[in-house]
Amino acid sequence: MTTASAPGKIILFGEHAVVSGVTALGGAIDLRAKVTVQDLSGSVLIKTKELTLQGFSLDLTSGRLESAQAAHATRYISAVLREFDVKDIQVCIDSSLPLAAGLGSSACIVVAAVAAISAHHGLCLSLREIAEISYRLEKKVQQGLGSPMDTALATYGGYLQISQDIKPIDLPPLEMVVGYTKMPHDTKSEVEKVQDLKKRYFDLVDPIFQAIGALSEKAVPLIREHNHADLGRLMNVNHGLLMALGVSSRELDELVYAATGAGGAFGAKLTGAGGGGCMIALPGHAGVDALMVALRQARGVPFKVVTGCEGVRLEGDL
Ligand code: MEV
Protein backbone atom coordinates (compact mmCIF):
# COMPACT_ATOMS: atom_id res chain seq x y z
CA MET A 1 0.00 0.00 0.00
CA THR A 2 1.38 3.43 -0.94
CA THR A 3 0.02 6.85 -0.01
CA ALA A 4 0.88 10.26 -1.45
CA SER A 5 -0.68 13.59 -0.61
CA ALA A 6 -0.73 16.92 -2.45
CA PRO A 7 -1.89 20.39 -1.41
CA GLY A 8 -4.72 22.50 -2.78
CA LYS A 9 -4.02 26.05 -3.84
CA ILE A 10 -5.31 29.55 -3.87
CA ILE A 11 -4.62 31.99 -6.65
CA LEU A 12 -3.60 35.20 -4.92
CA PHE A 13 -3.58 37.26 -8.13
CA GLY A 14 -3.93 36.67 -11.85
CA GLU A 15 -6.57 34.03 -12.56
CA HIS A 16 -7.94 34.14 -16.12
CA ALA A 17 -5.21 36.56 -17.27
CA VAL A 18 -2.72 33.68 -16.77
CA VAL A 19 -4.52 31.66 -19.46
CA SER A 20 -3.32 34.33 -21.94
CA GLY A 21 0.26 34.22 -20.62
CA VAL A 22 0.00 37.13 -18.16
CA THR A 23 1.71 36.71 -14.75
CA ALA A 24 -0.25 35.11 -11.90
CA LEU A 25 0.76 34.38 -8.31
CA GLY A 26 -0.50 31.32 -6.47
CA GLY A 27 0.24 29.59 -3.18
CA ALA A 28 -0.17 25.99 -2.02
CA ILE A 29 -2.39 25.71 1.07
CA ASP A 30 -2.53 23.45 4.12
CA LEU A 31 -5.55 21.47 2.89
CA ARG A 32 -4.52 18.29 1.11
CA ALA A 33 -5.85 15.36 -0.88
CA LYS A 34 -4.44 11.95 0.02
CA VAL A 35 -4.40 9.10 -2.51
CA THR A 36 -3.67 5.54 -1.40
CA VAL A 37 -3.09 2.76 -3.92
CA GLN A 38 -2.97 -0.94 -3.17
CA ASP A 39 -2.99 -4.11 -5.24
CA LEU A 40 -6.44 -5.61 -5.76
CA SER A 41 -6.44 -8.62 -7.96
CA GLY A 42 -9.07 -8.77 -10.72
CA SER A 43 -10.63 -5.37 -10.03
CA VAL A 44 -10.21 -1.60 -10.34
CA LEU A 45 -11.91 0.11 -7.42
CA ILE A 46 -11.95 3.84 -6.64
CA LYS A 47 -13.11 5.05 -3.22
CA THR A 48 -13.28 8.63 -2.08
CA LYS A 49 -14.16 10.82 0.89
CA GLU A 50 -14.55 14.59 0.45
CA LEU A 51 -15.06 17.47 2.82
CA THR A 52 -18.49 18.24 1.44
CA LEU A 53 -19.58 14.82 0.22
CA GLN A 54 -20.57 11.51 1.63
CA GLY A 55 -17.94 8.91 0.88
CA PHE A 56 -18.54 6.95 -2.30
CA SER A 57 -16.91 4.14 -4.15
CA LEU A 58 -16.81 3.05 -7.75
CA ASP A 59 -16.00 -0.36 -9.09
CA LEU A 60 -14.57 0.40 -12.54
CA THR A 61 -14.51 -3.29 -13.39
CA SER A 62 -18.24 -3.75 -12.89
CA GLY A 63 -19.12 -0.09 -13.63
CA ARG A 64 -21.05 0.10 -10.33
CA LEU A 65 -21.27 3.76 -9.28
CA GLU A 66 -22.48 4.47 -5.76
CA SER A 67 -22.88 8.21 -6.15
CA ALA A 68 -23.43 10.59 -9.05
CA GLN A 69 -20.72 12.83 -7.61
CA ALA A 70 -18.22 10.01 -7.99
CA ALA A 71 -17.97 10.91 -11.67
CA HIS A 72 -15.83 13.99 -11.02
CA ALA A 73 -12.91 12.40 -9.15
CA THR A 74 -13.27 9.23 -11.19
CA ARG A 75 -12.60 10.97 -14.51
CA TYR A 76 -9.22 12.15 -13.22
CA ILE A 77 -8.23 8.88 -11.56
CA SER A 78 -9.24 6.90 -14.66
CA ALA A 79 -7.01 9.15 -16.79
CA VAL A 80 -4.06 8.46 -14.44
CA LEU A 81 -4.70 4.68 -14.48
CA ARG A 82 -4.90 4.69 -18.30
CA GLU A 83 -1.65 6.69 -18.57
CA PHE A 84 0.26 4.04 -16.60
CA ASP A 85 -1.81 1.12 -17.90
CA VAL A 86 -2.54 0.07 -14.32
CA LYS A 87 -5.10 -2.65 -13.55
CA ASP A 88 -5.78 -4.78 -10.45
CA ILE A 89 -5.73 -1.84 -8.11
CA GLN A 90 -7.73 -0.07 -5.42
CA VAL A 91 -7.40 3.72 -5.27
CA CYS A 92 -8.66 5.53 -2.15
CA ILE A 93 -8.99 9.31 -2.17
CA ASP A 94 -9.30 11.21 1.08
CA SER A 95 -9.56 14.93 0.43
CA SER A 96 -10.16 17.85 2.75
CA LEU A 97 -10.84 20.13 -0.23
CA PRO A 98 -14.30 20.89 -1.55
CA LEU A 99 -14.80 19.75 -5.15
CA ALA A 100 -15.20 22.24 -8.01
CA ALA A 101 -14.56 25.14 -5.66
CA GLY A 102 -11.49 26.72 -7.26
CA LEU A 103 -9.04 25.34 -4.69
CA GLY A 104 -7.38 22.93 -7.11
CA SER A 105 -9.02 19.72 -5.85
CA SER A 106 -8.77 17.95 -9.23
CA ALA A 107 -5.11 18.89 -9.65
CA CYS A 108 -4.12 17.60 -6.24
CA ILE A 109 -6.00 14.33 -6.79
CA VAL A 110 -4.15 13.84 -10.10
CA VAL A 111 -0.74 14.82 -8.68
CA ALA A 112 -1.12 12.63 -5.56
CA ALA A 113 -2.33 9.70 -7.73
CA VAL A 114 0.60 10.04 -10.16
CA ALA A 115 3.06 10.21 -7.24
CA ALA A 116 1.45 7.24 -5.44
CA ILE A 117 1.44 5.07 -8.59
CA SER A 118 5.02 6.12 -9.42
CA ALA A 119 6.21 5.02 -5.96
CA HIS A 120 4.03 1.89 -5.82
CA HIS A 121 5.36 0.63 -9.16
CA GLY A 122 8.95 1.80 -8.61
CA LEU A 123 8.88 4.30 -11.50
CA CYS A 124 10.89 6.93 -9.59
CA LEU A 125 9.35 9.91 -11.43
CA SER A 126 10.97 13.25 -10.65
CA LEU A 127 8.86 16.20 -9.42
CA ARG A 128 9.23 17.74 -12.86
CA GLU A 129 7.88 14.58 -14.51
CA ILE A 130 5.01 14.37 -12.00
CA ALA A 131 4.10 18.01 -12.73
CA GLU A 132 4.28 17.55 -16.51
CA ILE A 133 2.29 14.30 -16.62
CA SER A 134 -0.33 15.67 -14.21
CA TYR A 135 -0.77 18.87 -16.21
CA ARG A 136 -1.19 16.91 -19.43
CA LEU A 137 -3.76 14.58 -17.84
CA GLU A 138 -5.72 17.36 -16.13
CA LYS A 139 -5.80 19.32 -19.37
CA LYS A 140 -7.00 16.27 -21.30
CA VAL A 141 -9.87 15.65 -18.86
CA GLN A 142 -10.76 19.37 -19.00
CA GLN A 143 -10.66 19.29 -22.80
CA GLY A 144 -7.62 21.43 -23.44
CA LEU A 145 -8.19 24.61 -21.48
CA GLY A 146 -6.20 25.91 -18.54
CA SER A 147 -2.79 26.87 -17.24
CA PRO A 148 -0.30 24.59 -15.41
CA MET A 149 -0.86 26.61 -12.22
CA ASP A 150 -2.89 24.07 -10.22
CA THR A 151 -0.84 20.98 -11.01
CA ALA A 152 2.47 22.86 -10.53
CA LEU A 153 1.39 24.16 -7.11
CA ALA A 154 0.14 20.71 -6.08
CA THR A 155 3.53 19.28 -7.10
CA TYR A 156 6.06 21.86 -5.94
CA GLY A 157 4.08 23.60 -3.18
CA GLY A 158 5.22 26.99 -1.85
CA TYR A 159 4.45 29.98 -4.05
CA LEU A 160 4.71 30.08 -7.83
CA GLN A 161 4.72 32.93 -10.27
CA ILE A 162 3.37 31.68 -13.57
CA SER A 163 3.49 33.42 -16.94
CA GLN A 164 5.18 31.80 -19.94
CA ASP A 165 7.15 29.69 -17.46
CA ILE A 166 6.82 28.56 -13.85
CA LYS A 167 8.97 30.34 -11.28
CA PRO A 168 9.13 29.26 -7.61
CA ILE A 169 9.27 32.30 -5.37
CA ASP A 170 10.34 32.43 -1.75
CA LEU A 171 7.76 34.28 0.35
CA PRO A 172 6.58 34.09 3.96
CA PRO A 173 3.34 32.21 4.77
CA LEU A 174 0.09 34.18 4.83
CA GLU A 175 -2.86 33.33 7.04
CA MET A 176 -5.98 33.78 4.93
CA VAL A 177 -9.64 32.97 5.29
CA VAL A 178 -11.40 31.19 2.44
CA GLY A 179 -15.13 31.73 2.01
CA TYR A 180 -16.88 28.94 0.14
CA THR A 181 -20.15 29.97 -1.59
CA LYS A 182 -21.33 26.32 -1.76
CA MET A 183 -22.05 27.03 -5.44
CA PRO A 184 -20.06 24.67 -7.66
CA HIS A 185 -18.51 26.19 -10.73
CA ASP A 186 -17.29 25.04 -14.07
CA THR A 187 -13.74 26.19 -14.78
CA LYS A 188 -13.97 25.33 -18.46
CA SER A 189 -17.06 27.45 -19.13
CA GLU A 190 -15.72 30.42 -17.11
CA VAL A 191 -12.41 30.29 -19.00
CA GLU A 192 -14.25 30.05 -22.34
CA LYS A 193 -16.46 33.00 -21.41
CA VAL A 194 -13.46 35.23 -20.66
CA GLN A 195 -11.46 34.08 -23.68
CA ASP A 196 -14.48 34.76 -25.89
CA LEU A 197 -14.84 38.27 -24.42
CA LYS A 198 -11.17 38.85 -25.15
CA LYS A 199 -11.57 37.70 -28.76
CA ARG A 200 -14.51 40.04 -29.33
CA TYR A 201 -13.21 43.05 -27.38
CA PHE A 202 -9.44 42.64 -27.38
CA ASP A 203 -8.81 46.37 -26.94
CA LEU A 204 -10.94 46.38 -23.75
CA VAL A 205 -9.97 43.05 -22.24
CA ASP A 206 -6.24 43.05 -22.93
CA PRO A 207 -5.60 46.16 -20.76
CA ILE A 208 -7.56 44.44 -17.94
CA PHE A 209 -5.31 41.38 -18.29
CA GLN A 210 -2.20 43.60 -18.28
CA ALA A 211 -3.43 45.39 -15.12
CA ILE A 212 -4.02 41.99 -13.47
CA GLY A 213 -0.47 40.96 -14.43
CA ALA A 214 0.89 44.16 -12.86
CA LEU A 215 -1.00 43.34 -9.63
CA SER A 216 0.66 39.89 -9.52
CA GLU A 217 4.09 41.54 -9.78
CA LYS A 218 3.40 44.36 -7.32
CA ALA A 219 2.08 41.94 -4.69
CA VAL A 220 5.41 40.11 -4.31
CA PRO A 221 7.37 42.80 -2.38
CA LEU A 222 4.27 43.56 -0.29
CA ILE A 223 4.04 39.93 0.87
CA ARG A 224 7.77 39.89 1.51
CA GLU A 225 7.55 43.11 3.60
CA HIS A 226 4.38 41.94 5.44
CA ASN A 227 2.58 45.03 4.13
CA HIS A 228 -0.89 43.53 4.45
CA ALA A 229 -2.78 46.83 4.22
CA ASP A 230 -1.48 47.51 0.70
CA LEU A 231 -1.67 43.84 -0.27
CA GLY A 232 -5.38 43.89 0.67
CA ARG A 233 -5.92 46.99 -1.50
CA LEU A 234 -4.45 45.15 -4.48
CA MET A 235 -6.74 42.17 -3.79
CA ASN A 236 -9.74 44.51 -3.91
CA VAL A 237 -8.53 45.92 -7.25
CA ASN A 238 -8.08 42.39 -8.63
CA HIS A 239 -11.62 41.47 -7.56
CA GLY A 240 -12.97 44.56 -9.35
CA LEU A 241 -11.16 43.57 -12.54
CA LEU A 242 -12.53 40.01 -12.30
CA MET A 243 -16.03 41.47 -11.87
CA ALA A 244 -15.40 43.48 -15.04
CA LEU A 245 -14.52 40.23 -16.84
CA GLY A 246 -17.89 38.82 -15.74
CA VAL A 247 -16.66 35.93 -13.59
CA SER A 248 -17.90 37.05 -10.18
CA SER A 249 -21.39 36.21 -8.88
CA ARG A 250 -23.82 37.67 -6.38
CA GLU A 251 -22.75 35.09 -3.78
CA LEU A 252 -19.05 35.82 -4.29
CA ASP A 253 -19.59 39.59 -4.18
CA GLU A 254 -21.64 39.30 -0.99
CA LEU A 255 -18.82 37.38 0.70
CA VAL A 256 -16.24 39.90 -0.54
CA TYR A 257 -18.29 42.83 0.82
CA ALA A 258 -18.94 41.02 4.12
CA ALA A 259 -15.21 40.33 4.48
CA THR A 260 -14.05 43.89 3.85
CA GLY A 261 -17.05 45.41 5.72
CA ALA A 262 -18.10 43.70 8.96
CA GLY A 263 -15.18 41.26 8.74
CA GLY A 264 -12.60 44.08 8.72
CA ALA A 265 -10.41 42.31 6.13
CA PHE A 266 -7.60 44.29 4.52
CA GLY A 267 -8.81 42.94 1.19
CA ALA A 268 -10.75 40.16 -0.50
CA LYS A 269 -11.25 38.68 -3.93
CA LEU A 270 -12.64 35.63 -5.65
CA THR A 271 -10.07 32.91 -6.22
CA GLY A 272 -9.92 30.47 -9.13
CA ALA A 273 -12.24 30.53 -12.10
CA GLY A 274 -15.18 32.29 -10.37
CA GLY A 275 -18.86 31.88 -11.18
CA GLY A 276 -19.19 30.15 -7.78
CA GLY A 277 -16.57 28.39 -5.71
CA CYS A 278 -14.51 30.42 -3.26
CA MET A 279 -13.22 33.85 -2.34
CA ILE A 280 -10.23 34.65 -0.13
CA ALA A 281 -9.83 37.39 2.45
CA LEU A 282 -6.76 38.77 4.20
CA PRO A 283 -7.58 39.28 7.91
CA GLY A 284 -7.35 42.90 9.09
CA HIS A 285 -6.96 44.45 12.56
CA ALA A 286 -10.27 42.87 13.69
CA GLY A 287 -8.61 39.45 13.33
CA VAL A 288 -9.50 36.07 11.86
CA ASP A 289 -12.49 35.31 14.10
CA ALA A 290 -14.38 38.51 13.19
CA LEU A 291 -13.80 37.67 9.54
CA MET A 292 -15.07 34.11 9.96
CA VAL A 293 -18.24 35.38 11.71
CA ALA A 294 -18.90 37.94 8.94
CA LEU A 295 -18.51 35.31 6.21
CA ARG A 296 -20.79 32.88 8.04
CA GLN A 297 -23.42 35.63 8.45
CA ALA A 298 -23.24 36.22 4.70
CA ARG A 299 -24.10 32.50 4.21
CA GLY A 300 -20.59 31.39 3.29
CA VAL A 301 -18.59 28.48 4.68
CA PRO A 302 -15.38 30.01 6.06
CA PHE A 303 -12.17 28.14 6.76
CA LYS A 304 -8.67 29.23 7.67
CA VAL A 305 -5.78 28.41 5.39
CA VAL A 306 -2.06 29.08 5.43
CA THR A 307 -0.27 29.66 2.12
CA GLY A 308 3.16 28.50 0.95
CA CYS A 309 2.79 24.88 2.18
CA GLU A 310 4.67 21.75 1.15
CA GLY A 311 4.04 20.14 -2.26
CA VAL A 312 3.38 16.49 -3.07
CA ARG A 313 4.91 14.00 -0.64
CA LEU A 314 4.80 10.31 0.11
CA GLU A 315 3.07 9.53 3.36
CA GLY A 316 4.85 6.22 3.73
CA ASP A 317 3.29 2.76 3.87
CA LEU A 318 0.29 2.58 6.15
C1 MEV B 1 -8.56 28.29 -12.32
O1 MEV B 1 -8.17 27.83 -11.01
C2 MEV B 1 -7.70 29.44 -12.75
C3 MEV B 1 -7.93 29.93 -14.17
O2 MEV B 1 -6.97 30.96 -14.42
C4 MEV B 1 -7.77 28.81 -15.16
C5 MEV B 1 -6.35 28.29 -15.23
O3 MEV B 1 -5.40 29.02 -14.91
O4 MEV B 1 -6.20 27.14 -15.65
C6 MEV B 1 -9.30 30.55 -14.34
Side-chain angles (χ1 to χ4, degrees), residues 198-209:
K198 183 180 151 214
K199 226 179 275 156
R200 292 173 61 184
Y201 297 105
F202 181 83
D203 52 339
L204 297 180
V205 172
D206 190 58
I208 296 179
F209 279 7

Side-chain angles (χ1 to χ4, degrees), residues 146-160:
S147 71
M149 177 82 122
D150 293 14
T151 39
L153 278 165
T155 307
Y156 300 111
Y159 290 91
L160 297 176

Side-chain angles (χ1 to χ4, degrees), residues 9 11 14-19 102-104 135 138 142 145-150 185 187 190-191 271-274:
K9 64 94 195 24
I11 297 184
E15 47 274 272
H16 287 288
V18 70
V19 176
L103 300 179
Y135 175 48
E138 194 195 36
Q142 288 169 191
L145 278 174
S147 71
M149 177 82 122
D150 293 14
H185 70 171
T187 300
E190 297 302 321
V191 170
T271 188

